[in-house]
Amino acid sequence: MRAYIIKRLLLIPVTLLGILIINFAIIQFAPGGPVEYILAKYQGMNTDSKAQFTSTPSAGASKSSSTYQGARGVPQDLVDELNKQFGFDKPWYTRFYKMVKDYARFDFGKSYYQDKTVLELIGERLPVSISLGLWSTLLIYLISIPLGVKKALKDGSNFDLTTTLVLTIGSAIPVFLFAVFLIVFLAGGTYLQWFPLRGLTSDNFESLTLFAKIKDYFWHITLPVISISIGGFAGLTMLTKNSFLDEISKPYVVTARAKGLSEKAILYKHIFKNAMLIIIAGFPSVLIKMLFTGSVLIEVVFSLNGIGLLGYEAIMTRDYPVIFGTLYIFALLGLVLKLISDITYFLVDPRINFEKI
């Protein structure tokens, strides 16, 4: 296992380099850039509907072969100054080499539009996304695993069929639609006002006592966590059920019953350990999904300043340092979580040999 961990750790920087290459290459072909965005703002235009982009210097092309049509009438000195300010006056390979060297030291640079470093922005927003991801993942596991076990034990019953229908409907509901539904009915919409409409804490949070702060925090995060979790119950519940059904039908269970062991002892001393392996292995994917997949919509709907919203805003404004920085952190976090999952897999069942992988 030690050799496997070392191999995986050595693969992390190689994987991150590959991700940087792909992301940087995509940017070269993406229309528009921060220079064009600023020029469009300078001219008072809507960059989505009025500004027409072609391949530009900020995307890595040469100035002689590319033009920004919306920049006609803008002083060339301003365009040249912006290109120099953002470093687009240098060749793409020079910029890429500098980026790789800086990223190796976790120096992601500064945002183009905010007087803060990328690490400062990520540090401010990451706790919000982690809160959403961890609590929603915990909620999904606390509900899905017991429910999946009960469905396996009552396979084919009315309980099994009814819960399957409910889970299917829940997984089919879009996250943002369910969030709006909760706001309308429970957060000061047309009906009840049991929960706050926006934010992760109240305005007077700093003046509250410790117990009041904890209560205020969970009061604010309840609806976002429920919203982001709604689509995750079905997959894990059915995975748990199928895993337990597969183990229940194996010969060792028949042998255990023949020896006179109780169903409870068979379930928790024999079946549970083997059936949980595949569920544990899926933990990183569930956490990553909760952290990044649905977080952007939830953060927008509930006005939560998380890292998902940060990345979305950076893409819309062509804030390349923030885009690359958030993608880099996402990738690194995913790789680390996958390694932790494999280690947990081994701790649960030492018979697993990762050395052959």
Side-chain angles (χ1 to χ4, degrees), residues 136-149 151 167 231-244 276 278-283 285-286 289:
S136 57
T137 303
L138 181 62
L139 179 64
I140 289 173
Y141 268 74
L142 287 177
I143 293 177
S144 297
I145 292 178
L147 181 59
V149 173
K151 283 173 66 64
L167 290 171
F233 292 113
L236 186 60
T237 300
M238 298 310 296
L239 177 65
T240 304
K241 175 190 172 182
N242 294 331
S243 180
F244 273 79
M276 286 297 293
I278 191 172
I279 299 170
I280 292 173
F283 181 83
S285 61
V286 175
K289 179 182 178 182

Side-chain angles (χ1 to χ4, degrees), residues 53-64:
F53 298 113
T54 61
S55 180
T56 65
S58 62
S62 64
K63 293 182 181 180
S64 61

Side-chain angles (χ1 to χ4, degrees), residues 204-216:
N204 63 335
F205 182 79
E206 295 300 329
S207 62
L208 298 176
T209 63
L210 178 60
F211 177 76
K213 285 182 178 180
I214 296 175
K215 181 180 177 181
D216 182 76

